[in-house]
Amino acid sequence: MKYTATTLLLALASLSASAADSKPAAPAADKPSPIGYSDTPVIPGTKWKVHDIDRPRPEAVAPGEKPGDAPADAIVIFNGSTSDALQTKEKDAKGKETGKLAPCPWKIEDGVMLISGGDCWTKQEFGSCQLHLEWMSEPNTKGNSQKKGNAGVFFMDRYESQMLDTYNNPTYADGMTGSVYGQTPPLVNAVRPSGQWQVYDIVFTAPKLEGGKVVEPAYITTFVNGICVQNHTKIMGPTKHKNVTDYSGEFPEKAPIRIQDHKNDPPVRIRNIWIRPL
């Protein structure tokens, strides 16, 4: 078959058109992603729609520069320079409380506070909160079990999260570091060796009240050295020693946080304490 010049030109044009059709379409101009919607269903139990464009957005909070540093919205209890955020209860010569408050008696050495001289309370009152605290028990601390490196944090002056040197120091399970003292042992023993800093990060949820009576118990989530040892654990009632507890009686909505002095020799050391009300 003979092809004329015209036929060849038509064939080449057809191939060129087919090649053009096979090329990918030019990308559409970038479109901004939606920042919310107004045509989605309402989330049950709320007044907000799913991805609601009108739902208020949380405010920005600057975290600390280094891990463990206080974020911008935290209340600093102790940063190495002053114990003014803490106070103690005055006692007379016989050791009985006088009903008066006194300055925190704990000494500060090289930015670290020594727990010695009696329990201390925060001047401010707290309910639900996030607490960060670092503590250390000296390797040469005298005693064993509950007599070695013992301290504790009492939320609302009632519910104790235990601090204890439990590195190669056997004791009862519900008295170990990270336990809800006298109630719930920690999931694991997460302490470092004596002489090293232990890090507490705790989320405490205060009990719900109606007329001063507890209608929903307190809960606690505890991290020891970054390890979760309590996961939204129900607190059965105020801390007691060698006895069970409950929520009998009336309770406040807020109360000071107490840090316990268990008369260790040498004293337990603490640093970098801050709280975020929730």
Side-chain angles (χ1 to χ4, degrees):
M1 180 180 289
K2 294 181 179 180
Y3 293 95
T4 65
T6 301
T7 303
L8 290 172
L9 288 172
L10 289 172
L12 290 171
S14 177
L15 288 171
S16 177
S18 297
D21 290 343
S22 66
K23 290 181 180 180
D30 289 341
K31 294 182 179 180
S33 182
I35 62 171
Y37 300 87
S38 58
D39 59 351
T40 51
V42 174
I43 300 171
T46 78
K47 65 178 182 179
W48 305 109
K49 299 174 182 177
V50 177
H51 315 314
D52 200 323
I53 193 169
D54 295 321
R55 192 170 190 173
R57 295 166 179 79
E59 295 181 1
V61 172
E65 292 185 7
K66 301 188 298 295
D69 284 358
D73 65 345
I75 297 171
V76 176
I77 303 301
F78 178 67
N79 62 4
S81 59
T82 177
S83 60
D84 286 350
L86 296 170
Q87 59 191 358
T88 192
K89 295 181 179 179
E90 185 182 78
K91 295 181 179 180
D92 61 21
K94 296 182 179 180
K96 293 184 179 181
E97 293 182 2
T98 65
K100 298 180 180 180
L101 296 173
C104 172
W106 300 345
K107 294 180 179 179
I108 299 174
E109 295 180 356
D110 299 322
V112 173
M113 194 153 49
L114 281 61
I115 301 179
S116 179
D119 294 0
C120 282
W121 289 256
T122 59
K123 291 181 178 179
Q124 290 183 253
E125 296 185 342
F126 300 93
S128 297
C129 63
Q130 173 189 352
L131 169 75
H132 177 92
L133 182 150
E134 299 166 18
W135 58 277
M136 180 176 67
S137 174
E138 298 287 351
N140 59 338
T141 301
K142 297 178 181 178
N144 72 298
S145 185
Q146 296 291 304
K147 295 289 187 180
K148 185 179 182 184
N150 190 331
V153 176
F154 286 76
F155 291 91
M156 300 185 74
D157 198 19
R158 288 166 173 78
Y159 315 104
E160 182 183 13
S161 181
Q162 173 74 317
M163 296 157 58
L164 186 75
D165 183 352
T166 50
Y167 188 82
N168 289 333
N169 179 34
T171 191
Y172 43 84
D174 58 14
M176 295 176 65
T177 284
S179 67
V180 182
Y181 185 80
Q183 300 177 32
T184 308
L187 294 171
V188 294
N189 182 7
V191 299
R192 296 187 173 105
S194 309
Q196 295 186 24
W197 285 100
Q198 319 288 346
V199 180
Y200 248 177
D201 286 290
I202 302 174
V203 176
F204 170 78
T205 302
K208 292 184 179 179
L209 309 176
E210 288 183 5
K213 301 292 185 179
V214 173
V215 295
E216 186 175 333
Y219 291 87
I220 194 167
T221 297
T222 304
F223 289 84
V224 177
N225 298 321
I227 299 173
C228 183
V229 299
Q230 299 289 347
N231 183 15
H232 195 61
T233 302
K234 180 174 72 174
I235 298 176
M236 302 173 190
T239 296
K240 294 185 179 181
H241 179 57
K242 299 175 69 174
N243 207 346
V244 295
T245 185
D246 58 31
Y247 284 101
S248 299
E250 294 190 358
F251 290 79
E253 292 185 355
K254 295 181 178 181
I257 291 175
R258 170 163 49 114
I259 303 176
Q260 183 187 49
D261 174 17
H262 215 275
K263 298 178 174 58
N264 299 273
D265 183 14
V268 170
R269 296 169 178 265
I270 56 174
R271 69 181 186 186
N272 195 21
I273 308 170
W274 51 262
I275 300 170
R276 294 182 63 245
L278 299 176

